[in-house]
Amino acid sequence: MFNGKRLSLARKRQKLTAKELAEKAGVSPVTITRLETGQNQADSGTLEKLAEVLGYPVQFFFKEDPALLSAEIVSFRSLSSMTAKERNAALSAGDNGVEVYEWLENRYNLPALDLPHFDPELTPEAAADALRQHWGLSYQPIANMMKLMEAKGIRVLGLEETTANVDAFSFWQNDKAYVFLNSFKSAERSIFDAAHELGHLVLHRHGQTSGADEDTRTAEVEANRFASAFLMPEEDVRVRMPRLITADLILRAKKRWRVSAMALAYRLAHLTRPMLSEWQYRSICIELGKRGYRTSEPDGIPRETSVLWGKVLSQLWAERKSLVDVADELSLPMTEVERLLFCILPQHGTDNEGGEVRRSKLSIVK
């Protein structure tokens, strides 16, 4: 049976209003509304027109209901600067991403989720320390944030949205944790984004994290504090950083924790016992800004890529399959699968450490 919710999902993913879709497909806006609300069934001619305009396979519109994520459960950091079309397109990407991972889960043994509940009264810094201890990380720098999250069962996908307004988001769906990362930022800032979204998953598991009210602004600040403490533990920072701190020193030291220069400067100024005064912090930020570190990260580190998806692709190639087969099985456009993996796929022929791709060790269960 034709599923109107699928039509709504595909339309929003393509950033079209009902009126715009109607004009492109040569039907009336009322027809679109009645189809999306389940009042009418699409005839074959209309269905083919809609599928062609939206770029989705006809079979997509006959699948069961999608996840239908809402802005209330998704942690959009920049919701106030995001248009409704951008927000709805990102939510639809999340819906499709859930299905991609369901496909993956039905075929491979994925790492079990290891993200315990912590006392909600913990400060973000205490929660970051508790998670580090739970994962046995001590106070050492995180070598690969994406690899760590995947190993702990967090489902990571990309977000190729051609807009900086949608930088990253996360959500819980059926007790599974999802993180979507954009590629607009530097590798260092993307690592911080990943840790920020991890903070939302830990701190705001059952609370609203998006919006314009005070609670959601507080949630964003808390997620930043969590990310800062998780990536740059105070114990390690104090041992490694000298008393006299300059912009040049920060540029050398940031490579240890794989964070942006601005993030390290902020951390040094906001430790329990700050290592930078407010005046020093402002002076260093001005100097870093002059050198281009406010909006980019010159001489940056390589971008992290997905170990999990690298193994999946290796397994598919060994079976003489490709992402085209994945898209066909999911009844999704190939372009949509590519967009979900765009930011996280390893480069062809190399793994995350820069070596040759090794054959997947994933075991097929179906």
Side-chain angles (χ1 to χ4, degrees):
M1 179 178 291
F2 179 81
N3 190 329
K5 294 176 182 176
R6 290 274 167 189
L7 176 60
S8 177
L9 187 161
R11 173 177 63 77
K12 291 176 180 177
R13 184 68 185 122
Q14 303 297 14
K15 299 180 182 176
L16 292 174
T17 64
K19 181 181 179 183
E20 290 168 340
L21 175 58
E23 291 175 352
K24 288 177 177 291
V27 299
S28 71
V30 174
T31 298
I32 300 299
T33 300
R34 294 184 70 85
L35 289 174
E36 290 190 358
T37 55
Q39 298 176 66
N40 284 358
Q41 287 287 302
D43 61 60
S44 58
T46 301
L47 181 57
E48 289 180 4
K49 289 180 183 176
L50 293 172
E52 181 180 358
V53 170
L54 294 169
Y56 274 67
V58 169
Q59 297 84 348
F60 174 83
F61 302 100
F62 292 89
K63 296 171 65 178
E64 60 186 16
D65 287 352
L68 289 180
L69 302 176
S70 68
E72 287 71 27
I73 68 167
V74 175
S75 68
F76 287 119
R77 188 183 308 183
S78 52
L79 190 61
S80 59
S81 59
M82 197 182 306
T83 66
K85 285 185 176 180
E86 289 172 339
R87 180 201 60 205
N88 290 335
L91 289 171
S92 298
D95 289 325
N96 288 337
V98 169
E99 292 182 22
V100 168
Y101 255 99
E102 287 176 349
W103 175 91
L104 196 63
E105 187 176 33
N106 287 332
R107 286 158 181 79
Y108 302 101
N109 290 320
L110 302 183
L113 182 64
D114 182 12
L115 201 54
H117 290 270
F118 292 112
D119 184 345
E121 298 300 319
L122 286 179
T123 64
E125 291 79 7
D129 184 62
L131 185 59
R132 270 185 161 271
Q133 301 310 314
H134 177 78
W135 284 353
L137 300 175
S138 183
Y139 299 119
Q140 296 300 309
I142 306 297
N144 188 316
M145 190 66 198
M146 192 182 299
K147 180 179 180 180
L148 174 64
M149 291 199 300
E150 288 181 333
K152 299 304 178 184
I154 297 170
R155 302 170 173 217
V156 182
L157 284 168
L159 194 64
E160 198 262 309
E161 294 301 285
T162 66
T163 172
N165 289 338
V166 188
D167 49 13
F169 63 78
S170 59
F171 57 87
W172 285 93
Q173 177 74 10
N174 296 328
D175 289 327
K176 298 181 174 69
Y178 293 83
V179 169
F180 285 67
L181 300 172
N182 205 330
S183 62
F184 267 85
K185 296 182 180 178
S186 67
E188 290 87 345
R189 291 167 194 250
S190 184
I191 289 171
F192 194 91
D193 279 349
H196 174 101
E197 297 307 326
L198 177 63
H200 277 309
L201 294 172
V202 170
L203 300 171
H204 314 121
R205 190 164 185 157
H206 302 296
Q208 181 175 341
T209 57
S210 292
D213 59 23
E214 188 62 33
D215 288 343
T216 54
R217 284 193 291 272
T218 299
E220 289 302 297
V221 171
E222 290 176 343
N224 277 337
R225 287 171 55 191
F226 176 96
S228 189
F230 189 79
L231 293 174
M232 297 166 279
E234 182 161 352
E235 291 78 0
D236 194 43
V237 171
R238 288 198 177 283
V239 169
R240 299 289 172 175
M241 296 299 288
R243 288 182 177 274
L244 180 59
I245 299 173
T246 64
D248 286 332
L249 180 67
I250 286 178
L251 293 180
R252 292 195 298 272
K254 75 185 185 75
K255 296 181 179 178
R256 173 175 176 78
W257 295 284
R258 306 174 76 245
V259 297
S260 69
M262 288 294 186
L264 178 55
Y266 184 90
R267 179 63 170 152
L268 292 168
H270 293 83
L271 293 169
T272 306
R273 288 180 289 115
M275 299 182 73
L276 289 178
S277 67
E278 184 64 25
W279 179 85
Q280 289 173 315
Y281 172 62
R282 290 185 179 182
S283 297
I284 286 177
C285 285
I286 291 172
E287 177 61 26
L288 292 174
K290 290 178 179 176
R291 300 189 194 186
Y293 285 89
R294 185 170 295 281
T295 56
S296 63
E297 211 65 28
D299 189 27
I301 61 175
R303 184 171 295 280
E304 291 185 351
T305 55
S306 168
V307 174
L308 175 66
W309 278 99
K311 291 182 176 181
V312 169
L313 290 184
S314 294
Q315 181 69 45
L316 288 172
W317 291 333
E319 299 170 5
R320 298 183 181 279
K321 293 182 178 179
S322 68
L323 289 180
V324 174
D325 299 289
V326 177
D328 288 344
E329 289 188 37
L330 286 165
S331 298
L332 281 174
M334 175 60 185
T335 52
E336 182 65 5
V337 176
E338 288 179 328
R339 291 170 75 183
L340 290 168
L341 301 178
F342 176 77
C343 312
I344 64 170
L345 275 181
Q347 291 185 357
H348 180 65
T350 60
D351 63 11
N352 288 324
E353 286 74 40
E356 292 185 357
V357 171
R358 293 182 288 272
R359 189 173 296 279
S360 169
K361 296 180 181 178
L362 291 174
S363 58
I364 300 176
V365 296
K366 287 190 177 182

